[in-house]
Amino acid sequence: MGKIIALANQKGGVGKTTTTINLAASLATLEKTVLVVDADPQANASSGLGVDLNEVDCSLYECIIDHTDVHEAIYTTDIDGLDIVPSHIDLVGAEIEMLNVENREKVIKEVLEPVRAEYDFILIDCSPSLGLITVNALTAADSVIIPVQCEYFALEGISKLLNTIKIIKSKLNPRLEIEGFLLTMYDSRLRLANQIYDEVKRHFQELVFTTVIQRNVKLSESPSHGLPVILYDAESAGAKNHLKLAEEIIRKNS
């Protein structure tokens, strides 16, 4: 059975999508089969993995609202073993359309059930909000990775997310665990970055990944080429950090 991992943080700009794309590509490079589910209406994970959004006939939206079979929404990428269910701007309206649906928090869980056994890992890229789609992603997931940007307000909002996770665990998904806190955009030259690292480590101890994702130009450039950084520049710090993260997750789950 594949492990479903949601990447969530309602704070925008912390590196969720960057992590989703590059962790997925790294896991696939290490010969795992991976499905990315783009649950963010901005669809950045889709375009970052080379999906032409104008060519998409079937996205997560159709699976949620029209009950289309998820197999019809799976697109391949340039990396062997890495597939994606793309997003669509229509997903913005899906939250309202789902309001009258029975078991509306479990729709994505039901969507993914048929493909769960076909992949080693399913990564869900969540939007920067704690709305119904994110609640769905957390209800479908076995665990959650929380990217934390190494900046002054890093820990702000985390308590809100942890509270949401606690509620989902008690009411909707008792098996939901925290896979780990991932420090992103880390610059070891900055005293602040080191202070944030120490603070997150002090708060969450062994829940913090050993791997940190450094600030890296190649990592910022690669999505505009529709490529994960490992295909854009395999020697860059960004590519090496994500491979280390993938190895850490594989070790943790083997």
Side-chain angles (χ1 to χ4, degrees):
M1 279 301 251
K3 178 161 196 181
I4 301 178
I5 304 176
L7 286 94
N9 188 335
Q10 76 276 22
K11 196 171 182 314
V14 296
K16 277 189 300 293
T17 301
T18 304
T19 304
T20 305
I21 291 170
N22 292 297
L23 172 58
S26 299
L27 286 165
T29 305
L30 296 168
E31 300 187 342
K32 298 292 175 191
T33 50
V34 187
L35 177 67
V36 169
V37 178
D38 191 349
D40 183 349
Q42 294 175 58
N44 292 339
S46 307
S47 54
L49 282 172
V51 174
D52 181 345
L53 297 172
N54 298 316
E55 304 277 299
V56 170
D57 302 321
C58 187
S59 68
L60 182 62
Y61 174 83
E62 281 76 17
C63 298
I64 290 174
I65 301 301
D66 305 333
H67 309 296
T68 304
D69 180 352
V70 66
H71 289 94
E72 290 183 35
I74 294 175
Y75 292 73
T76 56
T77 69
D78 290 340
I79 294 188
D80 274 354
L82 173 54
D83 296 339
I84 180 163
V85 173
S87 181
H88 194 279
I89 191 68
D90 288 351
L91 209 53
V92 171
E95 306 222 335
I96 294 164
E97 292 177 63
M98 288 161 78
L99 286 178
N100 298 322
V101 173
E102 210 181 322
N103 281 337
R104 60 184 181 208
E105 296 88 357
K106 297 189 175 173
V107 179
I108 289 181
K109 181 182 178 175
E110 284 158 17
V111 165
L112 295 180
E113 211 45 62
V115 288
R116 199 179 169 132
E118 295 168 27
Y119 294 93
D120 296 317
F121 291 96
I122 296 176
L123 304 183
I124 308 177
D125 185 29
C126 298
S127 71
S129 78
L130 291 175
L132 187 53
I133 299 281
T134 300
V135 168
N136 258 270
L138 293 170
T139 305
D142 300 304
S143 67
V144 54
I145 290 174
I146 302 169
V148 180
Q149 190 179 351
C150 288
E151 50 133 82
Y152 186 62
F153 293 114
L155 293 175
E156 218 177 60
I158 283 189
S159 57
K160 203 169 167 190
L161 176 62
L162 293 177
N163 198 37
T164 302
I165 289 170
K166 204 163 124 189
I167 293 166
I168 287 170
K169 212 174 148 72
S170 69
K171 296 197 168 19
L172 295 164
N173 180 7
R175 59 168 208 289
L176 183 64
E177 297 295 336
I178 291 175
E179 188 75 25
F181 290 86
L182 175 69
L183 286 145
T184 61
M185 305 180 202
Y186 177 76
D187 185 342
S188 57
R189 296 166 307 185
L190 299 178
R191 196 159 87 226
L192 176 66
N194 293 304
Q195 285 169 345
I196 301 285
Y197 180 82
D198 294 341
E199 197 180 343
V200 173
K201 200 85 178 123
R202 193 174 70 246
H203 271 280
F204 303 112
Q205 295 158 355
E206 71 284 351
L207 284 176
V208 182
F209 285 110
T210 314
T211 309
V212 295
I213 308 297
Q214 292 159 290
R215 264 194 192 284
N216 179 245
V217 175
K218 300 290 185 198
L219 203 50
S220 314
E221 287 175 359
S222 59
S224 63
H225 297 269
L227 292 171
V229 71
I230 203 159
L231 288 187
Y232 183 62
D233 183 350
E235 289 306 305
S236 64
K240 288 174 177 166
N241 292 164
H242 283 95
L243 264 175
K244 258 185 80 176
L245 176 64
E247 284 164 356
E248 197 174 334
I249 286 171
I250 290 169
R251 265 201 314 278
K252 202 173 164 184
N253 288 291
S254 55

